[in-house]
Amino acid sequence: MNEFASWLEYRALKEQIVNPNIEVGEHSYYSGFYHGKSFEDLAVRYLLGDGSTKDIWEAGVYGEVDKLIIGKFCSIASGACFMLAGNQGHRLDWISTFPFATDTFGDGVKSGFERAGNTVIGNDVWIGSEAMIMPGVHIGDGAVIGARAVITKDVAPYSLVVANNRVIKKRFSEQAIAQLLEMKWWDWPMDKLQAAMPILCSGNIEGFIRLK
């Protein structure tokens, strides 16, 4: 059964996240009609504390793990994927990338797991359909990630990125970006946001910056 009635429908992430290793800001949402599953079931991969690893996580077998942190006012399209858990034990610098098990290969086996760090999505980020965000990546405020892009390194604020980390352009001038980051409109109280809607929903960047 599809979790979404139509492609017009979306789910506010803060209202449905149950994994303790996911943090989400206000108003961010996931629109998953074309893949039919909830955000956690489809979009978040290899993160302890999900439905399949809840008991293991609560037993405390593992220590602190990398988290997925999503800011406010983020729009995440159907099929976007966030890869967690670092390299999952597959070491590129070792002779073999295979994650050998001690019960089969003996006590000489070493753990190849290395944390990649938290995956952090800023505020007002738009992530296109089936984009893949790799472990430990930080995506800056106001960035746009194109459909099916593969993001393996940090993305600067207000950048438009497609394909494999290809930056098409910045959405605004460097001066305007600096001013927007200083304003942090996503932290404004609701009454101030409501009053700013006519200009926030326009291309008048100079006029909006004057609101500060």
Side-chain angles (χ1 to χ4, degrees):
M1 179 179 177
N2 198 320
E3 291 279 334
F4 301 84
S6 79
W7 54 266
L8 294 169
E9 190 173 294
Y10 63 88
R11 296 277 193 278
L13 292 179
K14 200 170 180 66
E15 297 173 0
Q16 61 175 289
I17 293 298
V18 297
N19 191 320
N21 293 312
I22 301 176
E23 300 175 10
V24 182
E26 298 286 346
H27 308 291
S28 292
Y29 72 85
Y30 177 63
S31 178
F33 174 75
Y34 290 108
H35 294 79
K37 294 183 178 181
S38 69
F39 178 77
E40 284 190 78
D41 285 342
L42 183 87
V44 183
R45 309 287 176 89
Y46 307 111
L47 182 60
L48 282 168
D50 64 4
S52 67
T53 61
K54 183 174 182 290
D55 292 342
I56 296 173
W57 172 252
E58 291 179 348
V61 175
Y62 294 88
E64 186 179 357
V65 298
D66 296 336
K67 294 184 177 182
L68 173 60
I69 301 172
I70 300 173
K72 303 175 182 178
F73 295 96
C74 290
S75 308
I76 302 175
S78 188
C81 175
F82 300 84
M83 302 291 284
L84 279 299
N87 64 14
Q88 305 165 53
H90 303 279
R91 290 286 295 269
L92 300 181
D93 57 329
W94 287 6
I95 294 169
S96 175
T97 62
F98 190 83
F100 298 103
T102 55
D103 57 356
T104 302
F105 297 99
D107 295 336
V109 170
K110 298 178 182 179
S111 172
F113 177 73
E114 286 185 317
R115 290 180 61 184
N118 294 336
T119 299
V120 181
I121 313 303
N123 304 282
D124 191 29
V125 173
W126 177 18
I127 298 178
S129 182
E130 298 184 358
M132 179 176 287
I133 314 301
M134 298 303 287
V137 165
H138 288 210
I139 296 179
D141 298 323
V144 176
I145 308 301
R148 294 191 173 179
V150 179
I151 307 300
T152 63
K153 58 185 180 181
D154 292 353
V155 174
Y158 290 94
S159 297
L160 174 57
V161 184
V162 301
N164 291 351
N165 303 305
R166 185 157 67 93
V167 179
I168 298 296
K169 64 177 183 179
K170 292 290 186 72
R171 293 176 56 199
F172 307 113
S173 70
E174 292 294 343
Q175 181 181 3
I177 290 172
Q179 291 172 307
L180 287 168
L181 293 174
E182 182 182 354
M183 290 175 73
K184 298 184 185 295
W185 64 260
W186 39 83
D187 290 335
W188 289 359
M190 183 59 73
D191 59 343
K192 188 173 181 179
L193 278 173
Q194 290 172 338
M197 279 299 118
I199 196 166
L200 190 56
C201 299
S202 79
N204 185 2
I205 185 70
E206 293 83 5
F208 180 71
I209 288 171
R210 284 197 293 271
L211 292 180
K212 69 176 182 178

